Amino acid sequence: MLKLVGGGGGQYWACSVTGTGLGGEGAVFEVARVGDPGKAGCVGPAWGCVGIPDSAPGAGMLQAGAAGPARGGQGAEEEGEPAGGGEERQPRHPPAPALRLLNRKPRGRSGEIKTTENDLQRGRLSRGPRSAPPALGMGDHGGLPERSDPHAPGSPAVAGAVAVNGLLHNGFHPTPVQLPRLCGRGPAGVGDAGPPRLPLQPELQPQPPPPQHDSPAKKCRLRRRMDSGRKNRPPFPWFGMDIGGTLVKLVYFEPKDITAEEEQEEVENLKSIRKYLTSNTAYGKTGIRDVHLELKNLTMCGRKGNLHFIRFPSCAMHRFIQMGSEKNFSSLHTTLCATGGGAFKFEEDFRTIADLQLHKLDELDCLIQGLLYVDSVGFNGKPECYYFENPTNPELCQKKPYCLDNPYPMLLVNMGSGVSILAVYSKDNYKRVTGTSLGGGTFLGLCCLLTGCETFEEALEMAAKGDSTNVDKLVKDIYGGDYERFGLQGSAVASSFGNMMSKEKRDSISKEDLARATLVTITNNIGSIARMCALNENIDRVVFVGNFLRINMVSMKLLAYAMDFWSKGQLKALFLEHEGYFGAVGALLELFKMSDDQ
Amino acid sequence: MAECGASGSGSSGDSLDKSITLPPDEIFRNLENAKRFAIDIGGSLTKLAYYSTVQHKVAKVRSFDHSGKDTEQDHEPPYEISVQEEVTARLHFVKFENTYIEACLDFIKDHLVNTETKVIQATGGGAYKFKDLIEEKLQLKVDKEDVMTCLIKGCNFVLKNIPHEAFVYQKDADPEFRFQTNHPNIFPYLLVNIGSGVSIVKVETEDRFEWIGGSSIGGGTFWGLGALLTKTKKFDELLHLASKGQHTNVDMLVQDIYGGAHQTLGLSGNLIASSFGKSATADKEFSKEDMAKSLLHMISNDIGQLACLYARLHCLDRVYFGGFFIRGHPVTMRTITYSINFFSKLWVSWPCCLGMSPGGVFPRQGEVQALFLRHEGYLGAIGAFLKGAEQDNPNQYSWGENYAGSSGLMSSSPELCPTQRARSGTFDLLEMDRLERPLVSLPLLLDPPSYVPDTVDLTDDALARKYWLTCFEEALDGVVKRAVASQPGSVDAAERAEKFRQKYWNKLQTLRHQPFAYGTLTVRSLLDTREHCLNEFNFPDPYSKVKQKDNGVALKCFQRVVHSLDALGWEERQLALVKGLLAGNVFDWGAKAVSEVLESDPQFGFEEAKKKLQERPWLVDSYSRWLQRLKGPPHKCALIFADNSGVDVILGVFPFVRELLSRGTEVILACNSGPALNDVTHSEALLVAERVAAMDAVVRSALREERLLLVQTGSSSPCLDLSRLDKGLAVLVRERGADLVVIEGMGRAVHTNYHAALRCESLKLAVLKNSWLAERLGGRLFSVIFKYEVPAE
């Protein structure tokens, strides 16, 4: 029974819905057979490539680049940046990055590009006529992106990065010392950088099955010395992947501090990946890079670069794996860190089809670590977290930055296809409180059935124009006004889709109304459950994340309203700019962690 | 929210309405005496409540004017019986489809004779829609009552007055309904009313309740969204569709996301990760059935989850579900139960970052239980009625469900019989009799919340059920005959008896197919139903003459029996007293084996009965401990529940009472308030005691000094429910500090209370006069139960 707040529909924020298929040939992945991931937990303290902000908050490795955020006047970033000593502190540091050019045939010429793209299209097409056209509604940019040549000779931008970022000659980042914490975060995490593999309650945590990486550890170590320049640094490319029920979220770290030497030695398909991913914003028909979310000048694991955020539908996963096979990703020997149910579902396919070994990671871990990390580095100088001021007043309601410096306890509501609700008490103390199957997948699924729309964007666009009160039965529809006995306003929804019990009303509503009602119903329900969990857990901050919120201002404002109104101002709804990508970021952070334990 | 009138099923054309002929004998009974009305109009059903008086005959006993005189003549009965008219109060509830509302109102108007009432309490979403119609037809002012207030008043009422009102629903179990014994304190509880939307109300006391939350995703969502998705207009049809569908075709399951790995992760692959998730990603047509099923799961799971969250937040474990979404639909009761079990149990420990709701495999019962109510559909009408009747203080009385006048709970699951679920033309009835006296729990029960009167649950025990139903069917002829014979002067006795036969036979057939129709089926409920049916056709006491005769015969033997007892030594006497009690208990017209003997051998007497008894050691024999106990200090006060008239009470119980009195023990002799079989009633017992007192000084002085007290149980059943006893009895038991309870007879000590745990010493004795039961207990016909129990310190 949440009150509907008017307005707010369809305010898309910097949505990059340019889209064509994923995977030009540039997207070549290579899995490094990194040693025993079971030991991934041991972080080499010298490197501090922890991936968990709180375990070594402020650790230089984790900080954004020079252009990074200066949140709340905290100056931590600067301290992390220039300190150059890290390199020297590593006794085992190899004299020079021995990049080995793998002998492989050049690939990724246009002919192959086409093939890949067509394959992806076929993949979509095979699902049936409805999904055949470009799936993302806002039109693709003239088919441009997938055409870019991944083999374009060395990008000057990359070469320049080294100097610009003032890193050591090989672009390595200095060893982190105990640095001031980012954003004044509490001392909780300091000193326990040792065991970053979080000691979770066992029952909450599906232990990843014992690693089945069969490649010799030796081989890994050898490879590791090469591409990313340091022995305890994973080889490039650096990916983190979150394979959800509907969407695959991929983060890619683009090193911008590549030395001329490195550039020269960079293997062709590695380079092609970099070029392809960074010079396009859409891949194939359905892959999208969310350019607006890119984190620039970020220092990760000692390297400076940009973090890119890419997504494509999970149904394109097989095509993606196929491509990995065709492009011989496995020769790159990178480790593909993946989380989400798909990491399990597709593990076998990755191995048999593409000879790629997935490093599977716990979703909740990744979600939380990714979130904390992204929040800690900020959003290119702006805060990552925000809330809505005056949520109950449509006129005055506006987005405001929120400092999540001291985030605990928080209720974390992850809205993907379904919804998970976590109570987070510290970086390594959290529990899954509950979940609901009424999530983004339900919204889209019902919208597709009710309106014939095909994409999330389309559904949201319709919802923005609709009026749910035609579809829903309000309290006043039943009681003629407020229901005073229980203090319910007449405008509150008494029954979602309740008016649809009557034939006349069914005949009088529009598709847009239905889309809006679906959105409002799902959103309010999540809000209600979240609110109850917050009460049960006695937590007053509720952080909403997940791709259900992507370009979905209606839901965000509704949630902000619901939290505030029903709790009489006690609960605060918080949102994050990189709403759906934290799992993937968390997976990437795990990549650094597992390298460090060698 | 309460259901609301959105179905478009308002009054139809006149032709249709008028074409329905209402069978007045069955539907609007006692309308001419109706005093007060209330109506609850929902989205598709109307529930009418009226309060009426019922005139029926009762057999009164009274001493002859010349009593006290020497009445040794052989043929003179000990007291006279007169049949009188008595007026009792009854609540009638009728449920019918809104389509018939106009016809029903016309019928009421035509038949309303004596009413002085000027208003009718109305509640439900349709109340305002039909306001004008009601006011015009009935010339009554419509007084609108708050929906939730009515619901909760109604809910409190049924929970307090109807044992086995609440039940849990178990899928695929036999029986699918498992009834709960009512907790003596019904508060606090959570009421989740699933109408168009969902209201969650916390009820703390009779008058204090609070709306603690709700959800807009409710029955209206199922109906509305279901209609859009499947083009199916009716709620029942939607449920029917859902019952045939496969939600896994539409929902995104854990296994869809995890592949086969869910097993290694210990996840159930059938859990729903995202409702309707497949319709977002897979491009194909979905069947109506599958979508309806998915929708049903989605909504039920969501409601169950919210209910669990609220229950937990408010620390409540009793959650009752009601509203049109539930209303007896097995499909929704099933999905709600799963959901509650799932969320109640797997509340914190689900290891996955997905929204998960139960889909296929479900865990066992969790800590919050989903409870449903047999009379859920009537709550609003009951509450509205109670609101209007506040000046009559209906809540200060106890009420009892009249099995004869009430339709049972139906289990026409839509899988089996979709047409039946349409309910067209069916009228569902509930009648509640106002009991003369308020009923309370016996203060001597060890643990009132866990007390279950009945020994065997026939809903559970199919074998026993078959036996007893057949047994009652076979006994029916005899009962009919006895009923006719009890009213020799009546011209229509045979006709009424035949009606009784039909009614009770039908009840038995209903119970064969739906043993849960009136709550847990027990021998007691079968007996009670028979008494209700007899009363219905004005056979208030078919055994009155038999009892009168038996009492007369036994009284004549009293002195001789007492003399012979007094001649015995102390230890012998104790055994003889107990044997006397047991032999007396053989005289049971309710037992087939005995009634045959009594019919065929009029000379069968006390001594013959003694010979029938099993020799010691008895089937259950704690006599030695009892004897040992008697050698100790006397009990302060004994509470004795008497059984049969005649030999049993006069030659068995009274000598036993006399011995206790002599020992210095006070005695409370509790007899039924109303007649049942040949059980001695309170009023008969008073006359008998008077006659005994005339013959015996011990009894006389005890009566005079109030060391012997005769009280009524508040019951008219051959069995005994210690949680529903006359309040006066309970008060007396407490005042006198009763420390011994004697329960006598098969009905009271074997069919019921065999396992009853008391806070004080107890003696349960009976003679097994049914060979099937005897065999079951490992004995033979006329085996003896002598169970002396001392509570653990």
Side-chain angles (χ1 to χ4, degrees), chain A residues 289-311:
Chain A
R289 179 155 64 88
D290 283 316
V291 184
H292 67 288
L293 292 179
E294 181 176 336
L295 292 177
K296 297 207 169 71
N297 280 318
L298 194 63
T299 303
M300 292 191 95
C301 203
R303 299 296 301 251
K304 262 195 169 295
N306 298 337
L307 195 57
H308 298 278
F309 297 87
I310 296 160
R311 62 186 148 88

mmCIF file of all heavy atoms in Angstrom, chain A residues 289-311:
data_model
loop_
_atom_site.group_PDB
_atom_site.id
_atom_site.type_symbol
_atom_site.label_atom_id
_atom_site.label_comp_id
_atom_site.label_asym_id
_atom_site.label_seq_id
_atom_site.Cartn_x
_atom_site.Cartn_y
_atom_site.Cartn_z
ATOM 1 N N ARG A 289 28.636 -0.602 -23.853
ATOM 2 C CA ARG A 289 29.544 -0.082 -22.841
ATOM 3 C C ARG A 289 28.882 1.152 -22.244
ATOM 4 O O ARG A 289 28.502 2.072 -22.964
ATOM 5 C CB ARG A 289 30.898 0.270 -23.457
ATOM 6 C CG ARG A 289 31.875 0.836 -22.441
ATOM 7 C CD ARG A 289 33.320 0.608 -22.854
ATOM 8 N NE ARG A 289 33.677 1.312 -24.078
ATOM 9 C CZ ARG A 289 34.139 2.583 -24.101
ATOM 10 N NH1 ARG A 289 34.302 3.247 -22.986
ATOM 11 N NH2 ARG A 289 34.425 3.163 -25.249
ATOM 12 N N ASP A 290 28.739 1.141 -20.959
ATOM 13 C CA ASP A 290 28.139 2.305 -20.297
ATOM 14 C C ASP A 290 29.227 3.351 -20.102
ATOM 15 O O ASP A 290 29.864 3.441 -19.059
ATOM 16 C CB ASP A 290 27.519 1.895 -18.952
ATOM 17 C CG ASP A 290 26.191 1.185 -19.138
ATOM 18 O OD1 ASP A 290 25.378 1.666 -19.956
ATOM 19 O OD2 ASP A 290 25.970 0.157 -18.494
ATOM 20 N N VAL A 291 29.412 4.137 -21.163
ATOM 21 C CA VAL A 291 30.514 5.097 -21.197
ATOM 22 C C VAL A 291 30.415 6.078 -20.031
ATOM 23 O O VAL A 291 31.407 6.452 -19.414
ATOM 24 C CB VAL A 291 30.495 5.861 -22.532
ATOM 25 C CG1 VAL A 291 31.694 6.789 -22.608
ATOM 26 C CG2 VAL A 291 30.483 4.894 -23.692
ATOM 27 N N HIS A 292 29.203 6.442 -19.722
ATOM 28 C CA HIS A 292 29.031 7.449 -18.676
ATOM 29 C C HIS A 292 29.476 6.951 -17.307
ATOM 30 O O HIS A 292 29.661 7.728 -16.400
ATOM 31 C CB HIS A 292 27.556 7.885 -18.620
ATOM 32 C CG HIS A 292 26.644 6.790 -18.158
ATOM 33 N ND1 HIS A 292 26.335 5.700 -18.941
ATOM 34 C CD2 HIS A 292 25.987 6.618 -16.987
ATOM 35 C CE1 HIS A 292 25.524 4.899 -18.274
ATOM 36 N NE2 HIS A 292 25.289 5.442 -17.086
ATOM 37 N N LEU A 293 29.632 5.658 -17.207
ATOM 38 C CA LEU A 293 30.029 5.116 -15.906
ATOM 39 C C LEU A 293 31.535 4.905 -15.790
ATOM 40 O O LEU A 293 32.051 4.603 -14.726
ATOM 41 C CB LEU A 293 29.324 3.773 -15.659
ATOM 42 C CG LEU A 293 27.814 3.823 -15.464
ATOM 43 C CD1 LEU A 293 27.278 2.413 -15.258
ATOM 44 C CD2 LEU A 293 27.449 4.711 -14.270
ATOM 45 N N GLU A 294 32.229 5.044 -16.888
ATOM 46 C CA GLU A 294 33.663 4.766 -16.913
ATOM 47 C C GLU A 294 34.371 5.488 -15.765
ATOM 48 O O GLU A 294 34.142 6.663 -15.504
ATOM 49 C CB GLU A 294 34.232 5.232 -18.255
ATOM 50 C CG GLU A 294 35.708 4.973 -18.402
ATOM 51 C CD GLU A 294 36.205 5.379 -19.796
ATOM 52 O OE1 GLU A 294 35.378 5.405 -20.730
ATOM 53 O OE2 GLU A 294 37.395 5.684 -19.924
ATOM 54 N N LEU A 295 35.234 4.736 -15.083
ATOM 55 C CA LEU A 295 36.029 5.348 -14.013
ATOM 56 C C LEU A 295 37.395 5.644 -14.586
ATOM 57 O O LEU A 295 38.124 4.736 -15.013
ATOM 58 C CB LEU A 295 36.131 4.393 -12.818
ATOM 59 C CG LEU A 295 34.826 4.159 -12.059
ATOM 60 C CD1 LEU A 295 35.036 3.135 -10.950
ATOM 61 C CD2 LEU A 295 34.287 5.469 -11.487
ATOM 62 N N LYS A 296 37.710 6.905 -14.601
ATOM 63 C CA LYS A 296 38.944 7.311 -15.288
ATOM 64 C C LYS A 296 40.096 7.446 -14.293
ATOM 65 O O LYS A 296 39.914 7.787 -13.134
ATOM 66 C CB LYS A 296 38.696 8.646 -15.997
ATOM 67 C CG LYS A 296 37.621 8.553 -17.077
ATOM 68 C CD LYS A 296 37.833 9.595 -18.144
ATOM 69 C CE LYS A 296 36.946 9.350 -19.359
ATOM 70 N NZ LYS A 296 35.511 9.633 -19.093
ATOM 71 N N ASN A 297 41.276 7.202 -14.848
ATOM 72 C CA ASN A 297 42.492 7.380 -14.064
ATOM 73 C C ASN A 297 42.452 6.674 -12.716
ATOM 74 O O ASN A 297 42.751 7.251 -11.684
ATOM 75 C CB ASN A 297 42.745 8.881 -13.835
ATOM 76 C CG ASN A 297 43.379 9.482 -15.060
ATOM 77 O OD1 ASN A 297 44.269 8.885 -15.673
ATOM 78 N ND2 ASN A 297 42.900 10.653 -15.446
ATOM 79 N N LEU A 298 42.090 5.471 -12.817
ATOM 80 C CA LEU A 298 41.970 4.679 -11.610
ATOM 81 C C LEU A 298 43.256 3.876 -11.445
ATOM 82 O O LEU A 298 43.831 3.423 -12.429
ATOM 83 C CB LEU A 298 40.785 3.730 -11.805
ATOM 84 C CG LEU A 298 40.222 3.020 -10.614
ATOM 85 C CD1 LEU A 298 39.664 4.025 -9.626
ATOM 86 C CD2 LEU A 298 39.108 2.092 -11.095
ATOM 87 N N THR A 299 43.678 3.748 -10.223
ATOM 88 C CA THR A 299 44.841 2.891 -10.013
ATOM 89 C C THR A 299 44.363 1.584 -9.416
ATOM 90 O O THR A 299 43.753 1.566 -8.352
ATOM 91 C CB THR A 299 45.822 3.558 -9.046
ATOM 92 O OG1 THR A 299 46.173 4.829 -9.583
ATOM 93 C CG2 THR A 299 47.066 2.700 -8.900
ATOM 94 N N MET A 300 44.614 0.553 -10.165
ATOM 95 C CA MET A 300 44.222 -0.756 -9.656
ATOM 96 C C MET A 300 45.422 -1.669 -9.714
ATOM 97 O O MET A 300 46.086 -1.782 -10.745
ATOM 98 C CB MET A 300 43.092 -1.360 -10.493
ATOM 99 C CG MET A 300 41.773 -0.625 -10.369
ATOM 100 S SD MET A 300 40.414 -1.555 -11.102
ATOM 101 C CE MET A 300 39.780 -2.408 -9.669
ATOM 102 N N CYS A 301 45.664 -2.272 -8.624
ATOM 103 C CA CYS A 301 46.756 -3.232 -8.547
ATOM 104 C C CYS A 301 48.043 -2.630 -9.107
ATOM 105 O O CYS A 301 48.796 -3.279 -9.815
ATOM 106 C CB CYS A 301 46.384 -4.499 -9.312
ATOM 107 S SG CYS A 301 47.310 -5.939 -8.778
ATOM 108 N N GLY A 302 48.226 -1.389 -8.815
ATOM 109 C CA GLY A 302 49.482 -0.777 -9.197
ATOM 110 C C GLY A 302 49.521 -0.226 -10.612
ATOM 111 O O GLY A 302 50.519 0.346 -11.023
ATOM 112 N N ARG A 303 48.454 -0.400 -11.326
ATOM 113 C CA ARG A 303 48.455 0.145 -12.673
ATOM 114 C C ARG A 303 47.409 1.231 -12.774
ATOM 115 O O ARG A 303 46.368 1.175 -12.133
ATOM 116 C CB ARG A 303 48.142 -0.965 -13.691
ATOM 117 C CG ARG A 303 49.142 -2.098 -13.712
ATOM 118 C CD ARG A 303 50.518 -1.680 -14.140
ATOM 119 N NE ARG A 303 50.562 -1.108 -15.456
ATOM 120 C CZ ARG A 303 51.110 -1.717 -16.544
ATOM 121 N NH1 ARG A 303 51.653 -2.898 -16.415
ATOM 122 N NH2 ARG A 303 51.111 -1.126 -17.729
ATOM 123 N N LYS A 304 47.727 2.173 -13.607
ATOM 124 C CA LYS A 304 46.773 3.257 -13.814
ATOM 125 C C LYS A 304 45.979 3.014 -15.077
ATOM 126 O O LYS A 304 46.538 2.560 -16.079
ATOM 127 C CB LYS A 304 47.517 4.580 -13.922
ATOM 128 C CG LYS A 304 47.520 5.322 -12.604
ATOM 129 C CD LYS A 304 47.934 6.753 -12.782
ATOM 130 C CE LYS A 304 47.690 7.551 -11.527
ATOM 131 N NZ LYS A 304 46.288 7.660 -11.206
ATOM 132 N N GLY A 305 44.768 3.346 -15.034
ATOM 133 C CA GLY A 305 43.991 3.146 -16.233
ATOM 134 C C GLY A 305 42.528 3.483 -16.006
ATOM 135 O O GLY A 305 42.160 4.108 -15.011
ATOM 136 N N ASN A 306 41.737 3.074 -16.959
ATOM 137 C CA ASN A 306 40.309 3.350 -16.874
ATOM 138 C C ASN A 306 39.550 2.048 -16.687
ATOM 139 O O ASN A 306 39.911 1.020 -17.268
ATOM 140 C CB ASN A 306 39.817 4.031 -18.146
ATOM 141 C CG ASN A 306 40.504 5.367 -18.352
ATOM 142 O OD1 ASN A 306 40.999 5.981 -17.397
ATOM 143 N ND2 ASN A 306 40.569 5.812 -19.605
ATOM 144 N N LEU A 307 38.495 2.148 -15.908
ATOM 145 C CA LEU A 307 37.660 0.961 -15.704
ATOM 146 C C LEU A 307 36.398 1.123 -16.542
ATOM 147 O O LEU A 307 35.679 2.116 -16.420
ATOM 148 C CB LEU A 307 37.324 0.813 -14.219
ATOM 149 C CG LEU A 307 36.760 -0.541 -13.791
ATOM 150 C CD1 LEU A 307 37.699 -1.683 -14.144
ATOM 151 C CD2 LEU A 307 36.467 -0.539 -12.301
ATOM 152 N N HIS A 308 36.177 0.145 -17.406
ATOM 153 C CA HIS A 308 35.036 0.218 -18.323
ATOM 154 C C HIS A 308 33.927 -0.728 -17.884
ATOM 155 O O HIS A 308 34.198 -1.799 -17.349
ATOM 156 C CB HIS A 308 35.484 -0.146 -19.729
ATOM 157 C CG HIS A 308 36.507 0.807 -20.277
ATOM 158 N ND1 HIS A 308 36.174 2.014 -20.838
ATOM 159 C CD2 HIS A 308 37.861 0.728 -20.296
ATOM 160 C CE1 HIS A 308 37.290 2.640 -21.206
ATOM 161 N NE2 HIS A 308 38.337 1.884 -20.875
ATOM 162 N N PHE A 309 32.741 -0.309 -18.161
ATOM 163 C CA PHE A 309 31.566 -1.069 -17.713
ATOM 164 C C PHE A 309 30.747 -1.505 -18.926
ATOM 165 O O PHE A 309 30.249 -0.668 -19.667
ATOM 166 C CB PHE A 309 30.739 -0.220 -16.754
ATOM 167 C CG PHE A 309 31.492 0.114 -15.500
ATOM 168 C CD1 PHE A 309 32.329 1.229 -15.435
ATOM 169 C CD2 PHE A 309 31.397 -0.707 -14.387
ATOM 170 C CE1 PHE A 309 33.039 1.515 -14.275
ATOM 171 C CE2 PHE A 309 32.104 -0.419 -13.228
ATOM 172 C CZ PHE A 309 32.933 0.701 -13.176
ATOM 173 N N ILE A 310 30.660 -2.785 -19.076
ATOM 174 C CA ILE A 310 30.050 -3.346 -20.281
ATOM 175 C C ILE A 310 28.984 -4.346 -19.861
ATOM 176 O O ILE A 310 29.127 -5.047 -18.863
ATOM 177 C CB ILE A 310 31.130 -4.060 -21.115
ATOM 178 C CG1 ILE A 310 32.161 -3.041 -21.591
ATOM 179 C CG2 ILE A 310 30.512 -4.802 -22.309
ATOM 180 C CD1 ILE A 310 33.488 -3.641 -21.989
ATOM 181 N N ARG A 311 27.932 -4.404 -20.607
ATOM 182 C CA ARG A 311 26.887 -5.383 -20.300
ATOM 183 C C ARG A 311 26.317 -5.969 -21.575
ATOM 184 O O ARG A 311 26.334 -5.321 -22.628
ATOM 185 C CB ARG A 311 25.761 -4.734 -19.485
ATOM 186 C CG ARG A 311 25.066 -3.627 -20.219
ATOM 187 C CD ARG A 311 24.052 -2.889 -19.347
ATOM 188 N NE ARG A 311 23.966 -1.494 -19.733
ATOM 189 C CZ ARG A 311 23.129 -1.058 -20.681
ATOM 190 N NH1 ARG A 311 22.347 -1.893 -21.308
ATOM 191 N NH2 ARG A 311 23.117 0.223 -20.998
#
